[in-house]
Amino acid sequence: DAKTTQPPSMDCAEGRAANLPCNHSTISGNEYVYWYRQIHSQGPQYIIHGLKNNETNEMASLIITEDRKSSTLILPHATLRDTAVYYCIARRGNQGGKLIFGQGTELSVKP
Amino acid sequence: SAVISQKPSRDICQRGTSLTIQCQVDSQVTMMFWYRQQPGQSLTLIATANQGSEATYESGFVIDKFPISRPNLTFSTLTVSNMSPEDSSIYLCSVGTGGLWGYGYTFGSGTRLTVV
């Protein structure tokens, strides 16, 4: 699986959009980009994933650059409950089934 | 998505003893995984629990220290053996569900282990 790089921490004002970047410059053509988050004292929670196209669901939007070397997770209206560690993971959809976590970005949403 | 019940939620144990953590899923799943999360760190995969066969361990983890059972498609246990304070961590069970690998990974709420 391709290595991903994320900033260790970010702040965001409540009600504003939180834009979390992820670099995956060595991603291969069949690797998806997955985002999970872990709120303190809980297990990680799936947010969204994508291959090439931008994706949106009820939680977030995922913007993947045309060359697929980077992506951005967007929380459109961050709330205090979005304070968590966000993990960007690049992996093949059909090999091994393992999910390997990097260090993630600790997002602090402030009032 | 699958619902995972993990027990115990927390425990304080004496060094040299062993603790067995249980993971019960409300539906049959093919893939079950065990992770460790040391204080302030990210999750590290310990092993894949295989139904009907020995678990597949990641580098740095061995069966003697972390024996795993997987008697059926809904249940698994992880034992932390001969514990030392360095084993103090959160241990999490995870399952992979859905038609596309990686879509729909679900995690238990974890077992917070303190070794004294």
Side-chain angles (χ1 to χ4, degrees):
Chain A
D1 297 342
K3 177 180 169 59
T4 60
T5 304
Q6 300 176 251
S9 63
M10 291 182 63
D11 290 340
C12 178
E14 187 178 20
R16 304 296 294 271
N19 298 285
L20 292 89
C22 179
N23 181 283
H24 32 79
S25 58
T26 62
I27 195 169
S28 61
N30 60 354
E31 287 186 312
Y32 290 73
V33 179
Y34 291 85
W35 284 84
Y36 280 75
R37 75 178 182 185
Q38 186 177 25
I39 296 171
H40 183 63
S41 297
Q42 298 182 21
Q45 173 191 25
Y46 166 84
I47 302 174
I48 199 167
H49 77 290
L51 182 63
K52 295 180 183 178
N53 300 321
N54 299 337
E55 302 287 345
T56 296
N57 63 20
E58 65 278 5
M59 290 183 68
S61 295
L62 173 60
I63 308 298
I64 303 174
T65 58
E66 191 169 345
D67 63 8
R68 300 204 334 116
K69 293 181 184 295
S70 65
S71 60
T72 301
L73 178 75
I74 301 172
L75 308 178
H77 305 287
T79 71
L80 300 179
R81 290 176 295 178
D82 291 321
T83 292
V85 179
Y86 288 76
Y87 296 99
C88 169
I89 302 167
R91 65 179 301 276
R92 292 176 178 84
N94 61 353
Q95 283 196 9
K98 298 188 293 186
L99 201 61
I100 304 298
F101 288 81
Q103 294 306 305
T105 295
E106 185 169 10
L107 175 68
S108 297
V109 181
K110 300 180 183 300
Chain B
S1 60
V3 176
I4 297 175
S5 173
Q6 192 173 331
K7 296 179 181 179
S9 59
R10 60 178 61 230
D11 207 341
I12 301 173
C13 300
Q14 297 291 322
R15 68 175 67 201
T17 63
S18 298
L19 176 72
T20 295
I21 302 167
Q22 298 181 0
C23 178
Q24 178 74 55
V25 191
D26 68 343
S27 58
Q28 293 186 340
V29 294
T30 306
M31 305 292 280
M32 293 182 76
F33 308 91
W34 287 98
Y35 289 83
R36 179 178 73 182
Q37 187 169 29
Q38 295 175 301
Q41 301 297 312
S42 181
L43 287 80
T44 301
L45 181 64
I46 297 173
T48 301
N50 302 309
Q51 194 269 329
S53 65
E54 198 170 279
T56 304
Y57 289 84
E58 298 298 308
S59 176
F61 296 96
V62 295
I63 187 171
D64 289 347
K65 176 66 176 177
F66 297 101
I68 289 171
S69 78
R70 177 88 191 272
N72 55 52
L73 293 176
T74 64
F75 186 78
S76 178
T77 67
L78 168 74
T79 299
V80 185
S81 302
N82 188 25
M83 289 183 286
S84 67
E86 292 71 33
D87 295 319
S88 297
S89 295
I90 298 173
Y91 293 86
L92 298 111
C93 168
S94 174
V95 302
T97 58
L100 175 65
W101 284 123
Y103 179 58
Y105 275 100
T106 305
F107 288 79
S109 54
T111 296
R112 185 179 295 272
L113 171 63
T114 302
V115 183
V116 297

